[in-house]
Amino acid sequence: LVLLVDESQKILASPLDAGLAAACKKPLNKDFKGKWKESLVLYVDSKISDRVLLLGIGKSSELTAHRFRTLGAQVVSSLKQLDLKGSVVLQMPTLRKPEVGLQAQALAEGMTLSQLGFTRFKSESETKKNHFYSFDLLTSTKDKKSVEAGIARGLTISQGVNWARSLIHTPGSHLSPNDLAEAAESVFKNAKNK
């Protein structure tokens, strides 16, 4: 579970149970200040999660879509440093600016873009070292449609960018101009919105 915390040491979402809330509030004002990109992993006794990643956002008034994108990448970076694998839940903050759909879009972009691992020319053992995470963004019922639409936009954009980056990383000896043209044509042939 990932929770965002601002510089006033306020958790920007209500933790899902009282025990989890108490465990998350304990390090605030002591070890964890909520500064931009600061992170702290807590091991908790909860039915919801055995670990909580507190991620500092700095001043909540300074959050922009770009900063949410950076936070998405920071989540992935923190998980890689901890060598954690699997699915991750990020509880959406209760902020209204930027709009919640844009928050979700930017988080999805950051999380997806930061996971690009160009492995085409690596050995199988090197490829296995790459961790790919799946994420769920937990939100209120009233924001569900906006968050889902934001995630869909974010995934479309970031997967397209990662596809282009993969082409860029491919050496010319393995991607002829004709191959590049065919790859581009296949994207447009398979596009949902023509």
Side-chain angles (χ1 to χ4, degrees):
L1 179 65
V2 179
L3 296 173
L4 303 179
V5 181
D6 70 9
E7 276 189 1
S8 66
Q9 286 90 31
K10 178 183 175 192
I11 298 172
L12 300 180
S14 301
L16 303 171
D17 68 34
L20 193 56
C24 291
K25 288 181 181 177
K26 204 173 203 175
L28 301 181
N29 293 321
K30 295 177 186 169
D31 298 329
F32 189 79
K33 304 295 182 202
K35 297 207 179 291
W36 174 243
K37 293 174 70 173
E38 179 183 13
S39 63
L40 178 68
V41 176
L42 303 174
Y43 293 86
V44 295
D45 186 22
S46 171
K47 294 176 185 175
I48 296 165
S49 177
D50 58 348
R51 282 178 229 148
V52 176
L53 173 63
L54 298 179
L55 190 58
I57 64 157
K59 295 178 182 174
S60 58
S61 61
E62 295 178 357
L63 279 177
T64 61
H66 175 69
R67 281 199 149 199
F68 271 99
R69 195 172 298 105
T70 303
L71 287 170
Q74 181 68 28
V75 169
V76 172
S77 175
S78 296
L79 296 173
K80 285 180 180 178
Q81 286 177 347
L82 296 167
D83 198 31
L84 298 176
K85 299 174 180 115
S87 182
V88 178
V89 175
L90 186 142
Q91 192 165 358
M92 291 293 293
T94 53
L95 301 171
R96 291 289 140 213
K97 288 189 180 180
E99 186 269 323
V100 70
L102 186 56
Q103 292 175 29
Q105 175 182 336
L107 284 167
E109 288 172 4
M111 291 175 187
T112 305
L113 291 170
S114 64
Q115 291 188 75
L116 175 65
F118 186 68
T119 59
R120 183 172 171 191
F121 299 103
K122 292 187 177 181
S123 69
E124 192 174 320
S125 62
E126 288 177 311
T127 302
K128 287 181 180 179
K129 291 178 187 175
N130 282 347
H131 301 297
F132 294 98
Y133 303 96
S134 64
F135 295 92
D136 292 309
L137 299 180
L138 189 61
T139 189
S140 66
T141 305
K142 70 177 180 134
D143 291 333
K144 184 179 178 192
K145 285 185 180 180
S146 183
V147 168
E148 287 175 345
I151 291 170
R153 280 190 312 272
L155 289 176
T156 299
I157 292 166
S158 56
Q159 288 170 349
V161 169
N162 281 348
W163 173 81
R165 286 178 173 174
S166 292
L167 289 177
I168 291 167
H169 290 309
T170 304
S173 60
H174 292 273
L175 184 68
S176 70
N178 286 339
D179 293 337
L180 179 59
E182 287 174 12
E185 285 177 0
S186 72
V187 168
F188 291 107
K189 284 181 185 176
N190 297 326
K192 291 180 182 176
N193 300 324
K194 292 184 178 187

